[in-house]
Amino acid sequence: MSSSPNHAQKLSSITQSLSQSISSIDPSILRDIDILLESAPTTYKPLLFTALFQNPNASVYFDRILIPVAVHHYSRESLVLALRVYRRLVPQWDMTSGSQDDKQLELMEYFMAHPHALSKLWTRGIELASEGVKLLQFVLEQVGRFNVSDYYSKWEDSRALESYLNMLLEAFCHEEVAVAKTATDVLVHVFCDTEDDSGAHWLFDELVPEYATSGMQDEYESFDFLQQLQQKARASSINYLRYLELILAIASQSEQFFTLACQAKLLDDIIERLQISAQEDLLELLNVLELIQKLVAIPFDASVQYMIHSHVFEIISQQLFEQFTGDPMVEGFLMAAIGQLTTMLGEHLSGMVKKYMQKYRTGSDEIPSSSSDEHTREALEELLPQNTFLKICNKVDDSNKRIEIIALRVVSCVLATSSTCMQAFLGEENAKLREKYFEHMFLGHSTDAQEVFLQGMAQILLSPILSLDEIESFFKAYVAFHKEYKDTTTLVDELIHICKVPFAELRFAAYELAQSLASHPFSAKLLLQHNLFLREMLNRKLEQDRACMEKKYECLVQLSDMARHNEDLRKMLSNTEYIELRTYIHRGAFWNDEAAVLVQEEAGGD
């Protein structure tokens, strides 16, 4: 389009004002801005955009500014300027009449009413290749302003939504990671951030027939989004990993989404990929193992049951661990996955047994059980076969500190939850393995490793799964080890020493172990036999960390309760010691002796 004199005059007026004041631009000029953009010489366009996009009146013409600039032009600089002004529109509207929510809705509904506008922007962004990344992200953000429930309730015509979903399909497989990441976030929002079940129906009606309802219109049901996404993603391993990550993200939104993902067998794709990548692509295997750890971390009961029935434990701890033994990099990932799996399953079963034990203590004739409990128990026994468990025991002194700590966690968790592995651990032929594990009691190892060991010992001694005979046998094995290798000190000496180190986390773990020792007559006896233990624990000046003070208090409460109900232990305390112990407990964890004396003196007390 050629420039008319009138247009040239207007352009001259704008460019002249640039050297004076942006605010001096005549607002009436904006009415013909799209014509001016077409007619302006290329060299003047950046100046024109700068003037235009800093003018507050530009917000009134957003539909005549953004689309022409982004679609018909021109240069990367102009696009950036266009996006800047567009992102400023909502704050500017806050100064006009109407509430902020109304104005934001007006802005979003513009794109809903003009789906072709975003389509054009999307096409332009694709044409610009790497320079269009910001524009593509911008378009996706606009799509993500509504969830599927909003789209469905406000617009009866599904063509706009399907157009946007097609954009998301394309974006999800885009070569630019930033675009694909934005698409993933938008997809999770569009489908999962709804107040009703519309998002779940959109995703799963076709995959889980029993979940489908007649409430969705046929044109909505026919858009098999996840199937289309899966087909597009299978074109490359990178895109397929993105797809698996998206499935995990959706499944982690709620227990309902997780259950539907299981029923649709979408999570099975992760397990299948784990086995395939182990044979074909080592790098992909490491990525899939990270996905497994994310899957384990999903905090739903349904996820625990899925992990039990999917045989992922068996695949990782037997097939893969045997296959990659000796490969430090892969072993590290496998150890991390095994560590999370054992911890999750152990905590789940411990929680169930503790709950049942509570019912048992309140009068139930027997501890109830269920098929899911038995599955969990069986899974624990089969999780780490003895040969794999013993291999991991050998890694508790690994030179790689990360492997050492993971191995300590795994060994402790398995010993606390598996009678089979406990029996193997206590066997005479495995004395060297016990030494490697037990020696973490002594200072000289890293603080982190010693903390994990102390916590593990407490976990084993308080296990609601092992029998008391098994726990006592484990305790005696440690005492025998300590007597042989540290004949000048005792376990209690080590605990007292650790309770004085400058690391609060380590002291807390020591109090935790002391509390577990106070929970059994055979180990509480060891504490009370020591002539310094009770005196050190009753000395409030030795501990200033509040978390440690509280844990020490819990230890003394446990010891006092044990002494009250066990005559032999009670006889080990003098009357003075018993009174001091009960007084400490009566005053609470955070009593300040010096402050109490000062208050008493001010009150005229003795």
Side-chain angles (χ1 to χ4, degrees):
M1 180 184 298
S2 60
S3 299
S4 68
N6 187 41
H7 292 155
Q9 184 180 1
K10 291 181 179 179
L11 181 60
S12 175
S13 174
I14 293 175
T15 54
Q16 287 177 6
S17 68
L18 290 173
S19 61
Q20 301 170 6
S21 171
I22 295 297
S23 61
S24 67
I25 300 177
D26 183 356
S28 64
I29 294 176
L30 296 174
R31 296 170 185 168
D32 299 320
I33 188 61
D34 49 350
I35 300 176
L36 286 174
L37 290 173
E38 291 289 348
S39 63
T42 303
T43 54
Y44 283 100
K45 285 175 181 175
L47 298 177
L48 175 61
F49 291 137
T50 301
L52 174 64
F53 296 150
Q54 294 188 30
N55 190 292
N57 295 296
S59 62
V60 182
Y61 299 90
F62 71 90
D63 58 332
R64 303 182 67 189
I65 296 172
L66 181 64
I67 304 307
V69 169
V71 176
H72 298 297
H73 191 297
Y74 297 120
S75 71
R76 181 174 179 273
E77 291 75 13
S78 301
L79 284 169
V80 171
L81 288 169
L83 295 181
R84 283 178 182 171
V85 68
Y86 190 83
R87 292 178 187 278
R88 289 172 45 229
L89 294 182
V90 173
Q92 289 173 346
W93 281 350
D94 292 345
M95 296 183 291
T96 64
S97 60
S99 69
Q100 180 178 354
D101 290 342
D102 290 340
K103 295 304 178 181
Q104 288 178 339
L105 185 62
E106 180 182 344
L107 176 61
M108 292 185 283
E109 288 189 346
Y110 167 76
F111 282 111
M112 290 302 302
H114 303 86
H116 66 281
L118 279 181
S119 298
K120 288 182 178 180
L121 286 178
W122 181 260
T123 301
R124 182 59 178 161
I126 295 295
E127 292 172 353
L128 290 170
S130 61
E131 292 188 344
V133 169
K134 288 186 177 180
L135 181 58
L136 295 179
Q137 287 181 284
F138 170 77
V139 174
L140 295 173
E141 289 169 3
Q142 307 318 305
V143 173
R145 287 181 181 274
F146 284 125
N147 59 49
V148 71
S149 178
D150 298 322
Y151 284 108
Y152 181 64
S153 62
K154 296 178 183 297
W155 290 271
E156 295 182 358
D157 188 353
S158 67
R159 287 175 296 177
L161 178 54
E162 291 192 8
S163 173
Y164 293 163
L165 290 177
N166 281 320
M167 285 184 203
L168 289 170
L169 283 172
E170 188 174 2
F172 188 80
C173 297
H174 199 276
E175 61 183 8
E176 293 288 345
V177 175
V179 175
K181 175 64 170 61
T182 303
T184 301
D185 295 341
V186 169
L187 282 168
V188 172
H189 167 70
V190 166
F191 289 113
C192 300
D193 290 350
T194 61
E195 295 181 359
D196 55 22
D197 293 335
S198 55
H201 283 297
W202 254 94
L203 290 174
F204 296 108
D205 270 5
E206 293 293 327
L207 297 173
V208 186
E210 58 270 26
Y211 183 65
T213 71
S214 59
M216 301 292 287
Q217 296 180 4
D218 291 341
E219 59 265 28
Y220 284 84
E221 293 180 358
S222 64
F223 196 81
D224 303 332
F225 182 78
L226 283 180
Q227 296 94 314
Q228 293 190 36
L229 184 61
Q230 185 185 53
Q231 291 173 5
K232 290 181 70 70
R234 286 189 182 277
S236 78
S237 60
I238 293 177
N239 289 340
Y240 196 69
L241 285 173
R242 289 177 185 169
Y243 163 75
L244 296 179
E245 288 179 351
L246 174 65
I247 295 302
L248 275 181
I250 292 173
S252 65
Q253 296 302 305
S254 69
E255 189 116 24
Q256 179 196 32
F257 276 108
F258 189 93
T259 301
L260 289 170
C262 290
Q263 292 174 349
K265 301 187 183 304
L266 297 179
L267 297 176
D268 293 352
D269 292 340
I270 300 176
I271 310 302
E272 178 187 355
R273 204 67 182 181
L274 180 66
Q275 295 176 295
I276 293 174
S277 60
Q279 304 301 324
E280 298 179 358
D281 189 333
L282 184 57
L283 182 58
E284 184 180 286
L285 172 63
L286 302 183
N287 289 324
V288 176
L289 283 171
E290 288 187 345
L291 293 180
I292 293 291
Q293 293 181 60
K294 292 179 181 179
L295 177 59
V296 173
I298 295 177
F300 305 137
D301 286 341
S303 68
V304 178
Q305 296 304 320
Y306 175 78
M307 300 303 291
I308 292 171
H309 292 91
S310 66
H311 302 293
V312 67
F313 297 138
E314 179 182 352
I315 294 170
I316 292 178
S317 66
Q318 297 184 45
Q319 298 177 16
L320 298 186
F321 198 81
E322 291 292 332
Q323 180 180 346
F324 292 102
T325 296
D327 186 322
M329 181 173 64
V330 182
E331 267 193 353
F333 278 85
L334 289 172
M335 287 286 291
I338 291 173
Q340 278 196 283
L341 291 168
T342 52
T343 300
M344 177 204 72
L345 199 54
E347 288 178 352
H348 178 70
L349 186 54
S350 295
M352 288 192 303
V353 174
K354 287 178 181 177
K355 176 180 66 178
Y356 295 153
M357 287 300 294
Q358 183 64 34
K359 293 181 180 179
Y360 178 70
R361 293 190 187 102
T362 57
S364 177
D365 292 335
E366 59 182 10
I367 299 176
S369 185
S370 68
S371 59
S372 63
D373 304 338
E374 293 305 317
H375 282 305
T376 307
R377 292 174 185 275
E378 291 171 6
L380 274 170
E381 290 294 340
E382 297 173 0
L383 174 60
L384 287 180
Q386 286 189 29
N387 59 331
T388 305
F389 169 72
L390 296 176
K391 284 182 180 180
I392 294 178
C393 286
N394 266 311
K395 294 185 177 296
V396 296
D397 61 350
D398 198 280
S399 58
N400 183 322
K401 297 305 178 186
R402 177 172 174 269
I403 297 295
E404 175 191 20
I405 289 173
I406 292 174
L408 283 169
R409 287 198 177 115
V410 171
V411 170
S412 299
C413 180
V414 173
L415 287 176
T417 52
S418 172
S419 296
T420 302
C421 289
M422 175 61 81
Q423 292 170 8
F425 182 79
L426 296 177
E428 294 183 6
E429 67 279 10
N430 291 316
K432 292 295 183 183
L433 295 182
R434 290 198 297 277
E435 292 176 15
K436 288 184 178 183
Y437 179 73
F438 286 147
E439 68 181 12
H440 286 82
M441 181 69 192
F442 311 131
L443 293 174
H445 292 275
S446 70
T447 302
D448 290 339
Q450 192 170 27
E451 178 188 350
V452 169
F453 171 76
L454 293 172
Q455 292 171 340
M457 286 280 286
Q459 180 184 13
I460 295 167
L461 291 172
L462 290 176
S463 171
I465 299 168
L466 299 176
S467 68
L468 288 178
D469 287 342
E470 289 172 327
I471 293 175
E472 185 171 7
S473 296
F474 173 82
F475 174 73
K476 289 180 177 179
Y478 175 80
V479 172
F481 159 81
H482 199 118
K483 184 176 181 180
E484 181 177 355
Y485 288 90
K486 289 280 186 176
D487 57 352
T488 58
T489 64
T490 66
L491 167 61
V492 184
D493 288 323
E494 297 293 338
L495 278 178
I496 292 173
H497 181 55
I498 296 173
C499 287
K500 296 179 180 179
V501 300
F503 308 110
E505 295 84 358
L506 195 54
R507 298 200 306 275
F508 185 92
Y511 292 129
E512 198 170 14
L513 177 55
Q515 181 183 4
S516 69
L517 291 171
S519 301
H520 302 290
F522 55 81
S523 49
K525 180 180 179 181
L526 192 69
L527 297 176
L528 294 179
Q529 282 177 337
H530 197 282
N531 59 351
L532 291 178
F533 177 77
L534 195 58
R535 186 191 310 172
E536 296 284 338
M537 292 290 283
L538 293 174
N539 188 342
R540 294 183 182 271
K541 296 180 181 179
L542 296 180
E543 185 57 72
Q544 301 301 318
D545 181 84
R546 287 186 67 84
C548 291
M549 291 165 70
E550 190 167 8
K551 180 54 66 174
K552 182 171 76 166
Y553 176 79
E554 292 173 3
C555 171
L556 290 173
V557 169
Q558 182 64 51
L559 189 62
S560 174
D561 288 347
M562 185 63 68
R564 289 171 62 191
H565 295 93
N566 187 296
E567 185 177 351
D568 292 337
L569 293 177
R570 173 64 183 85
K571 290 178 179 179
M572 296 178 68
L573 292 170
S574 67
N575 287 336
T576 300
E577 289 175 330
Y578 187 71
I579 292 172
E580 289 179 352
L581 176 59
R582 296 301 301 165
T583 301
Y584 188 105
I585 294 171
H586 177 72
R587 289 175 172 175
F590 308 115
W591 173 272
N592 187 317
D593 289 329
E594 294 180 358
V597 170
L598 181 61
V599 170
Q600 188 178 44
E601 291 176 349
E602 291 177 349
D606 295 334

